[in-house]
């Protein structure tokens, strides 16, 4: 039992460490730019790593479904995309809270904010598309193709376009004076805590998704026998 659940226990331990160290790790004060709100780094940034991981696994299962036509692959693609959207929305919310304190308003129209919102809308349309079809095989095939399209749009919206224009986020043009966080401002202790947080949150997101997959498969079996 422990051998099968070691990664779940690890997730719990890592997140406990994050919640403790996230509030205890020393934050450098740099010209008033980086205040205590930077502790959101340990919660906001991991949300995007979770989203990216879940969407990546989702599109892999979508491709597997197109090759195998195995219904389980469709279930996996659906649930990983569903949990990915949840963590993406959490990323937007935690980012808006951070921006409100650091930039003066929760939504400033920053390219990365806009790109992330558009990406979420594209993935939400995935669920609308699935709900619009009753034919199971047709729904699964079209959803898998759309999943690939949504994933292809994710990178330009979140990682590419914001780096080609002026952005308050690190990496954007003219962001050397970013009033929120410049990667060069972080300490070794902050970086270590952040990566612990990333691993812990990613493991938790996968854990949640596996539970959703099991529930979906059980529900489908009941419906097929009903």
């Amino acid at each position: 039992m422990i051998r099968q659940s070691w990664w779940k226990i690890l997730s719990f331990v890592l997140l406990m460490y994050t919640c403790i160290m996230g509030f205890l790790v020393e934050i450098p004060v740099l010209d008033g730019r980086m205040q205590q709100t930077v502790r959101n780094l340990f919660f906001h940034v991991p949300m995007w790593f979770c989203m990216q991981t879940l969407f990546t696994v989702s599109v892999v299962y979508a491709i597997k479904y197109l090759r195998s036509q195995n219904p389980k692959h469709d279930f996996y693609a659906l649930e990983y995309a569903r949990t990915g959207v949840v963590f993406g929305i959490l990323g937007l919310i935690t980012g808006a809270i951070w921006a409100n304190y650091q930039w003066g308003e929760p939504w400033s129209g920053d390219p990365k904010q806009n790109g992330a919102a558009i990406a979420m809308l594209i993935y939400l349309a995935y669920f609308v598309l699935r709900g619009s079809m009753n034919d199971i095989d047709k729904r699964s095939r079209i959803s898998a193709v759309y999943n690939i399209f949504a994933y292809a749009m994710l990178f330009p919206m979140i990682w590419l376009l914001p780096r080609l224009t002026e952005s308050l986020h690190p990496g954007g043009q003219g962001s050397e004076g970013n009033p929120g966080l410049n990667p060069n401002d972080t300490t070794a202790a902050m970086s270590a805590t952040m990566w612990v947080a990333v691993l812990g949150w990613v493991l938790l997101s996968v854990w949640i998704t596996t539970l959703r997959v099991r529930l979906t498969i059980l529900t489908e079996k009941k419906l097929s026998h009903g």
Side-chain angles (χ1 to χ4, degrees):
M1 184 69 177
I2 295 179
R3 288 182 179 180
Q4 294 178 344
S5 303
W6 67 267
W7 60 278
K8 299 175 183 178
I9 298 172
L10 178 61
S11 172
F12 176 79
V13 172
L14 293 177
L15 290 178
M16 285 296 294
Y17 176 88
T18 299
C19 291
I20 294 172
M21 288 303 298
F23 291 100
L24 295 180
V25 67
E26 186 176 353
I27 303 296
V29 178
L30 303 172
D31 302 325
R33 285 190 294 110
M34 192 156 63
Q35 303 298 329
Q36 295 301 315
T37 57
V38 77
R39 297 185 188 279
N40 199 9
L41 171 72
F42 312 125
F43 304 96
H44 170 62
V45 174
M47 297 300 105
W48 296 120
F49 276 91
C50 291
M51 179 198 71
Q52 191 68 63
T53 301
L54 296 169
F55 284 161
T56 300
V57 176
S58 176
V59 76
V60 168
Y61 275 106
I63 295 171
K64 281 186 175 182
Y65 175 80
L66 291 175
R67 296 181 62 182
S68 68
Q69 305 296 306
N70 185 338
K72 283 190 177 181
H73 291 161
D74 181 49
F75 297 152
Y76 275 89
L78 168 63
E79 295 305 333
Y80 272 97
R82 182 172 285 162
T83 313
V85 168
V86 171
F87 277 88
I89 292 174
L90 288 174
L92 286 173
I93 293 173
T94 53
I97 294 172
W98 192 357
N100 189 49
Y101 283 96
Q102 198 69 51
W103 299 340
E105 54 185 341
W107 199 273
S108 60
D110 183 80
K112 200 154 192 174
Q113 286 181 320
N114 293 338
I118 293 171
M120 289 301 98
L121 290 175
I122 291 174
Y123 268 94
L124 287 173
Y126 167 77
F127 304 111
V128 175
L129 178 66
R130 290 186 67 94
S132 66
M133 291 176 284
N134 294 321
D135 187 296
I136 297 177
D137 293 333
K138 180 180 178 181
R139 179 186 66 192
S140 299
R141 287 195 305 271
I142 294 177
S143 297
V145 173
Y146 184 89
N147 195 329
I148 297 172
F149 159 77
Y151 189 78
M153 293 298 294
L154 185 67
F155 279 93
M157 289 296 164
I158 294 181
W159 304 114
L160 182 59
L161 294 179
R163 292 178 178 272
L164 299 178
T165 184
E166 184 112 6
S167 174
L168 290 169
H169 281 81
Q173 298 294 321
S175 65
E176 290 79 11
N178 175 11
L181 174 67
N182 189 301
N184 295 326
D185 295 338
T186 58
T187 64
M190 289 174 61
S191 296
T193 304
M194 188 200 74
W195 287 113
V196 168
V198 167
L199 181 57
W201 285 110
V202 168
L203 289 175
L204 178 64
S205 68
V206 173
W207 186 0
I208 293 171
T209 308
T210 56
L211 293 176
R212 287 288 313 173
V213 169
R214 289 170 59 185
L215 178 61
T216 300
I217 292 176
L218 287 173
T219 302
E220 290 295 327
K221 283 184 178 179
K222 287 183 179 180
L223 290 176
S224 61
H225 287 91

mmCIF file of all heavy atoms in Angstrom, residues 78-95:
data_model
loop_
_atom_site.group_PDB
_atom_site.id
_atom_site.type_symbol
_atom_site.label_atom_id
_atom_site.label_comp_id
_atom_site.label_asym_id
_atom_site.label_seq_id
_atom_site.Cartn_x
_atom_site.Cartn_y
_atom_site.Cartn_z
ATOM 1 N N LEU A 78 -9.834 13.888 -21.036
ATOM 2 C CA LEU A 78 -10.871 14.780 -20.506
ATOM 3 C C LEU A 78 -10.537 15.242 -19.092
ATOM 4 O O LEU A 78 -10.574 16.446 -18.798
ATOM 5 C CB LEU A 78 -12.216 14.057 -20.512
ATOM 6 C CG LEU A 78 -13.365 14.729 -19.745
ATOM 7 C CD1 LEU A 78 -13.698 16.085 -20.360
ATOM 8 C CD2 LEU A 78 -14.589 13.829 -19.699
ATOM 9 N N GLU A 79 -10.217 14.308 -18.225
ATOM 10 C CA GLU A 79 -10.018 14.661 -16.813
ATOM 11 C C GLU A 79 -8.731 15.445 -16.579
ATOM 12 O O GLU A 79 -8.698 16.347 -15.729
ATOM 13 C CB GLU A 79 -10.041 13.406 -15.942
ATOM 14 C CG GLU A 79 -11.391 12.694 -15.924
ATOM 15 C CD GLU A 79 -12.536 13.609 -15.509
ATOM 16 O OE1 GLU A 79 -12.304 14.590 -14.770
ATOM 17 O OE2 GLU A 79 -13.672 13.350 -15.939
ATOM 18 N N TYR A 80 -7.686 15.135 -17.341
ATOM 19 C CA TYR A 80 -6.462 15.929 -17.199
ATOM 20 C C TYR A 80 -6.683 17.350 -17.699
ATOM 21 O O TYR A 80 -6.171 18.312 -17.114
ATOM 22 C CB TYR A 80 -5.301 15.257 -17.932
ATOM 23 C CG TYR A 80 -4.554 14.265 -17.081
ATOM 24 C CD1 TYR A 80 -4.838 12.899 -17.158
ATOM 25 C CD2 TYR A 80 -3.580 14.682 -16.191
ATOM 26 C CE1 TYR A 80 -4.167 11.979 -16.359
ATOM 27 C CE2 TYR A 80 -2.895 13.778 -15.386
ATOM 28 C CZ TYR A 80 -3.195 12.431 -15.474
ATOM 29 O OH TYR A 80 -2.528 11.527 -14.675
ATOM 30 N N ALA A 81 -7.477 17.500 -18.753
ATOM 31 C CA ALA A 81 -7.800 18.845 -19.242
ATOM 32 C C ALA A 81 -8.671 19.577 -18.226
ATOM 33 O O ALA A 81 -8.488 20.778 -17.981
ATOM 34 C CB ALA A 81 -8.514 18.758 -20.588
ATOM 35 N N ARG A 82 -9.602 18.872 -17.627
ATOM 36 C CA ARG A 82 -10.514 19.485 -16.652
ATOM 37 C C ARG A 82 -9.750 20.002 -15.431
ATOM 38 O O ARG A 82 -9.942 21.150 -15.004
ATOM 39 C CB ARG A 82 -11.576 18.461 -16.239
ATOM 40 C CG ARG A 82 -12.607 18.985 -15.273
ATOM 41 C CD ARG A 82 -13.705 17.955 -15.085
ATOM 42 N NE ARG A 82 -14.593 17.897 -16.239
ATOM 43 C CZ ARG A 82 -15.404 16.883 -16.506
ATOM 44 N NH1 ARG A 82 -15.435 15.824 -15.730
ATOM 45 N NH2 ARG A 82 -16.189 16.929 -17.568
ATOM 46 N N THR A 83 -8.880 19.169 -14.884
ATOM 47 C CA THR A 83 -8.099 19.607 -13.729
ATOM 48 C C THR A 83 -7.113 20.699 -14.123
ATOM 49 O O THR A 83 -6.830 21.611 -13.339
ATOM 50 C CB THR A 83 -7.333 18.418 -13.104
ATOM 51 O OG1 THR A 83 -8.216 17.301 -12.961
ATOM 52 C CG2 THR A 83 -6.774 18.790 -11.743
ATOM 53 N N GLY A 84 -6.605 20.625 -15.359
ATOM 54 C CA GLY A 84 -5.704 21.658 -15.848
ATOM 55 C C GLY A 84 -6.362 23.023 -15.873
ATOM 56 O O GLY A 84 -5.743 24.036 -15.519
ATOM 57 N N VAL A 85 -7.616 23.068 -16.284
ATOM 58 C CA VAL A 85 -8.352 24.333 -16.304
ATOM 59 C C VAL A 85 -8.545 24.860 -14.882
ATOM 60 O O VAL A 85 -8.429 26.068 -14.638
ATOM 61 C CB VAL A 85 -9.715 24.160 -17.003
ATOM 62 C CG1 VAL A 85 -10.613 25.369 -16.765
ATOM 63 C CG2 VAL A 85 -9.516 23.961 -18.505
ATOM 64 N N VAL A 86 -8.833 23.967 -13.951
ATOM 65 C CA VAL A 86 -9.009 24.387 -12.551
ATOM 66 C C VAL A 86 -7.737 25.067 -12.043
ATOM 67 O O VAL A 86 -7.786 26.151 -11.443
ATOM 68 C CB VAL A 86 -9.365 23.182 -11.658
ATOM 69 C CG1 VAL A 86 -9.316 23.584 -10.184
ATOM 70 C CG2 VAL A 86 -10.749 22.653 -12.007
ATOM 71 N N PHE A 87 -6.589 24.452 -12.305
ATOM 72 C CA PHE A 87 -5.335 25.033 -11.838
ATOM 73 C C PHE A 87 -4.978 26.284 -12.637
ATOM 74 O O PHE A 87 -4.334 27.195 -12.108
ATOM 75 C CB PHE A 87 -4.212 24.004 -11.887
ATOM 76 C CG PHE A 87 -4.182 23.110 -10.686
ATOM 77 C CD1 PHE A 87 -4.920 21.938 -10.656
ATOM 78 C CD2 PHE A 87 -3.440 23.449 -9.566
ATOM 79 C CE1 PHE A 87 -4.921 21.114 -9.542
ATOM 80 C CE2 PHE A 87 -3.425 22.639 -8.444
ATOM 81 C CZ PHE A 87 -4.173 21.466 -8.423
ATOM 82 N N GLY A 88 -5.390 26.338 -13.896
ATOM 83 C CA GLY A 88 -5.179 27.553 -14.673
ATOM 84 C C GLY A 88 -5.968 28.721 -14.107
ATOM 85 O O GLY A 88 -5.467 29.851 -14.019
ATOM 86 N N ILE A 89 -7.206 28.458 -13.710
ATOM 87 C CA ILE A 89 -8.038 29.502 -13.097
ATOM 88 C C ILE A 89 -7.456 29.926 -11.744
ATOM 89 O O ILE A 89 -7.446 31.109 -11.404
ATOM 90 C CB ILE A 89 -9.489 29.006 -12.944
ATOM 91 C CG1 ILE A 89 -10.130 28.840 -14.337
ATOM 92 C CG2 ILE A 89 -10.312 29.981 -12.098
ATOM 93 C CD1 ILE A 89 -11.501 28.213 -14.322
ATOM 94 N N LEU A 90 -6.952 28.946 -10.991
ATOM 95 C CA LEU A 90 -6.294 29.273 -9.725
ATOM 96 C C LEU A 90 -5.059 30.142 -9.974
ATOM 97 O O LEU A 90 -4.751 31.044 -9.192
ATOM 98 C CB LEU A 90 -5.890 27.997 -8.985
ATOM 99 C CG LEU A 90 -7.024 27.185 -8.359
ATOM 100 C CD1 LEU A 90 -6.493 25.875 -7.779
ATOM 101 C CD2 LEU A 90 -7.731 27.989 -7.274
ATOM 102 N N GLY A 91 -4.362 29.882 -11.079
ATOM 103 C CA GLY A 91 -3.220 30.709 -11.441
ATOM 104 C C GLY A 91 -3.633 32.139 -11.740
ATOM 105 O O GLY A 91 -2.960 33.094 -11.337
ATOM 106 N N LEU A 92 -4.753 32.298 -12.436
ATOM 107 C CA LEU A 92 -5.261 33.641 -12.728
ATOM 108 C C LEU A 92 -5.678 34.370 -11.446
ATOM 109 O O LEU A 92 -5.402 35.560 -11.274
ATOM 110 C CB LEU A 92 -6.453 33.551 -13.682
ATOM 111 C CG LEU A 92 -6.141 33.224 -15.144
ATOM 112 C CD1 LEU A 92 -7.437 32.998 -15.918
ATOM 113 C CD2 LEU A 92 -5.327 34.336 -15.797
ATOM 114 N N ILE A 93 -6.343 33.648 -10.545
ATOM 115 C CA ILE A 93 -6.831 34.270 -9.310
ATOM 116 C C ILE A 93 -5.671 34.688 -8.406
ATOM 117 O O ILE A 93 -5.623 35.820 -7.912
ATOM 118 C CB ILE A 93 -7.773 33.308 -8.556
ATOM 119 C CG1 ILE A 93 -9.065 33.093 -9.360
ATOM 120 C CG2 ILE A 93 -8.097 33.850 -7.164
ATOM 121 C CD1 ILE A 93 -9.977 32.029 -8.792
ATOM 122 N N THR A 94 -4.717 33.766 -8.196
ATOM 123 C CA THR A 94 -3.573 34.106 -7.344
ATOM 124 C C THR A 94 -2.733 35.210 -7.980
ATOM 125 O O THR A 94 -2.175 36.057 -7.273
ATOM 126 C CB THR A 94 -2.692 32.871 -7.083
ATOM 127 O OG1 THR A 94 -2.332 32.267 -8.349
ATOM 128 C CG2 THR A 94 -3.419 31.843 -6.231
ATOM 129 N N GLY A 95 -2.674 35.219 -9.313
ATOM 130 C CA GLY A 95 -1.946 36.287 -9.997
ATOM 131 C C GLY A 95 -2.627 37.628 -9.848
ATOM 132 O O GLY A 95 -1.975 38.661 -9.660
#
